[in-house]
Amino acid sequence: MTGLTAATSFIVRIYRYDTKDSHQLTGQVETMDGCNKREPFTDSDELAELLRRSLAKQGRRRKKTPAMPENIEDR
């Protein structure tokens, strides 16, 4: 059995959205990891890059939980 990992959560706030060009939107991304860091974006490509970068950073610093034994009595 592999180690357990925590789910990554984000708050994505969209403040402006162009109904004629769905690629154009403005907002902020906040990673729910306790650091209260918010990063702005001005289009969907920037949003995707912020999410990708945040996931990569968390993957590097996340510690894996040891696997649970198959039999609880093994502890």
Side-chain angles (χ1 to χ4, degrees):
M1 181 177 218
T2 61
L4 302 174
T5 58
T8 302
S9 298
F10 301 95
I11 295 176
V12 178
R13 294 178 177 91
I14 297 176
Y15 300 116
R16 282 192 276 306
Y17 175 73
D18 187 345
T19 57
K20 294 177 184 165
D21 182 6
S22 61
H23 186 71
Q24 295 301 315
L25 53 123
T26 303
Q28 283 183 339
V29 173
E30 180 179 354
T31 306
M32 300 306 298
D33 61 358
C35 70
N36 294 325
K37 184 176 180 184
R38 295 179 182 168
E39 297 188 68
F41 59 89
T42 58
D43 61 36
S44 58
D45 291 334
E46 284 184 13
L47 171 59
E49 181 58 31
L50 287 171
L51 295 173
R52 192 176 306 113
R53 194 174 343 133
S54 292
L55 287 171
K57 283 180 187 176
Q58 287 190 356
R60 283 194 301 261
R61 70 175 174 222
R62 180 181 290 150
K63 293 180 182 176
K64 291 194 174 186
T65 307
M68 294 292 291
E70 292 296 321
N71 185 346
I72 257 321
E73 295 171 1
D74 291 343
R75 287 186 181 195

